Amino acid sequence: MGFTSFYDAQVAQAVGLFQSYVALPPTGTVDFSTWASLLVSYGDQSRPGTDCDCITTVTPARAQALHSAGYRHVGRFLSNVAGSALDKMIKPGELATIAAAGLSCFPIYQTWGGSADYFSYNQGIQDAHDAIVWARRHGFQDGARIYFAVDFDALDGEVTASVLPHFRGVHHVITTYSRYRIGVYGARNVCRRVSDAGYADASFVSDMSSGFSGNLGYTLPANWAFDQIATLTVGSGEGIIEIDKNIASGRDDGERTFNPASYTENLDVAIVAADHEAMKAEIRGYLESIGVPETGGDGWTDDGWITLGGISNSEAIDAVISMDWLFTRLARNLRLRKALVQAPVLWELRQFNPLDPIADAAVKAGLRDDSSTGWGQIFAWVAIEARNYCVEQGLLNEPLLTLEDDRSTVWTSLHEDPEYNIETAAYVTVYNAFQISLPRPGLDTSDADTERIIARYNGTNEAAEQVRPGRRRRIPRHGELLRLPSRRGELPLCPQHTKEGRTT
């Protein structure tokens, strides 16, 4: 509509639509709250809100104070930041307290997130894996929406270069490993662009940061759920609590029922960087003690370890350690020991030799349908069977695959994407246990079952069971996994590989 000197019915209708959009009473009259919403991102900070977020534990007294003040939804943080003294995470029993007071809760995941250099595709993968573990630990059920925070003034170029790849990683993990939904917290432009890319379906807008360039000249994103407008204190005495007041659109009602996970301890943790060199030395020493030299080799012969090229022990160990962040998070989400996945991947990397690229080149040229490829040397048909099994078990959230339609795409992903290959190696490990009639691998899988699961990774024929022709090889027991004292981050070594038996 054009500009006129009259405030007619058409103008009043447009004003009413704007008021409805920003959750003001749709009076059609331009009052202070309406002007404020038009002129500054946080609008009228005195307007009542029914939503809040806080870093403070919500006790029964605080929950009652919030409810009495008109609040019905509260945002709480899934975890603390490693190395920070700030204690902002949800406490045991807190969600039950929130629900008992007639409030709902929506989860927020934020580590640092205060500059562009934090955000990347790999960091998004890590954050999403961690968010799933924490959300399940606290008891958030399928369908809950986790808001991932971008807590700095991201310029448009930084959104393109860093934030969008980050949320692409978040989206991949959340949609693959869980049935949670994804929200984004940030300035208007950040929320709009992440949502337009399909990586989030609701926005928690940091409009209180009125000076952010991402809030200047941008409208509220169409999918806004919460609009953060002011910091204030609610309650008194034991009930006093500082909150950020938010306006709720009704798009997200939060969660009121929770089912905390029974497992909360004993999950694997990352290898400590300071331990890398000592760990490498121990693993190299172990490999050499079983006849695997630093360089060369494609398997066992009657004369020992033969040298057909490949990569060195040190290079294979470095590669596995470089992806420890992914091994760790896969293990935590699947609730198994990461050693079960690291062992065969390390061994396959060490076994890489000139025959492997030849087989892969034949697939690329259309001369073969399949080959064992990538870090874990996995056939596409094996990947399809394993991933489908995990879908059926509720461990993986993706459409079922078929050999006819998906073999080529899966093989390409296995070949070109180490992260996809390592993920699939984890699914193959779970599938292998099923194939040999063992329970799903867990945090307390026995030594004997560990040996059998690792052995199964290499196949079912006789060659996969032998070190040398005619001689059966003993697989290192679970209790013999190499580790440093008081660390979990061990790399078990399984000297078990033949071309005939590779991941079949």
Side-chain angles (χ1 to χ4, degrees), residues 10 18 46 82 88 162 204 227 234 267 284 293 315 325 367 371 389 421 439:
Q10 190 176 11
F18 171 76
S46 68
K88 63 180 184 178
S162 301
F204 179 9
D227 184 10
V234 171
L267 297 174
R284 272 200 314 268
E315 289 170 328
W325 62 269
L367 302 176
S371 68
Y389 172 77
N421 195 291

Side-chain angles (χ1 to χ4, degrees), residues 111-301:
T111 52
W112 294 108
S115 63
D117 58 9
Y118 174 84
F119 293 88
S120 67
Y121 177 75
N122 281 352
Q123 188 63 55
I125 288 177
Q126 295 178 54
D127 284 359
H129 272 295
D130 291 345
I132 292 171
V133 171
W134 281 110
R136 288 173 175 165
R137 178 173 179 169
H138 291 306
F140 288 96
Q141 300 183 55
D142 289 352
R145 182 181 287 112
I146 302 171
Y147 289 87
F148 291 84
V150 181
D151 202 12
F152 77 105
D153 186 13
L155 303 178
D156 200 57
E158 292 172 323
V159 176
T160 300
S162 301
V163 175
L164 289 182
H166 183 94
F167 273 87
R168 180 164 56 88
V170 168
H171 184 268
H172 164 68
V173 170
I174 293 293
T175 58
T176 300
Y177 290 92
S178 77
R179 288 177 172 80
Y180 292 130
R181 292 180 291 176
I182 304 169
V184 53
Y185 169 88
R188 294 181 176 195
N189 186 45
V190 169
C191 291
R192 178 183 62 83
R193 292 203 58 197
V194 169
S195 299
D196 286 349
Y199 301 145
D201 63 7
S203 296
F204 179 9
V205 186
S206 58
D207 266 340
M208 197 164 57
S209 303
S210 59
F212 276 11
S213 63
N215 282 331
L216 299 175
Y218 294 98
T219 60
L220 275 171
N223 67 352
W224 76 274
F226 306 118
D227 184 10
Q228 188 181 66
I229 65 170
T231 298
L232 69 156
T233 300
V234 171
S236 61
E238 292 184 354
I240 195 168
I241 182 171
E242 185 178 79
I243 62 169
D244 289 333
K245 178 172 64 174
N246 309 318
I247 307 301
S249 70
R251 189 164 281 110
D252 189 340
D253 288 329
E255 305 301 313
R256 296 180 183 273
T257 58
F258 309 96
N259 183 27
S262 57
Y263 62 93
T264 57
E265 305 295 339
N266 206 29
L267 297 174
D268 276 0
V269 297
I271 299 172
V272 178
D275 293 341
H276 286 186
E277 290 305 313
M279 178 175 285
K280 278 180 60 179
E282 286 194 36
I283 298 171
R284 272 200 314 268
Y286 173 74
L287 285 170
E288 291 168 4
S289 76
I290 62 171
V292 183
E294 171 65 10
T295 59
D298 183 53
W300 295 93
T301 71

Side-chain angles (χ1 to χ4, degrees), residues 100-117:
L103 305 173
S104 69
C105 182
F106 61 93
I108 305 166
Y109 184 84
Q110 180 181 12
T111 52
W112 294 108
S115 63
D117 58 9

Side-chain angles (χ1 to χ4, degrees), residues 2-16:
F3 288 100
T4 71
S5 58
F6 302 101
Y7 193 91
D8 55 20
Q10 190 176 11
V11 175
Q13 182 182 31
V15 169

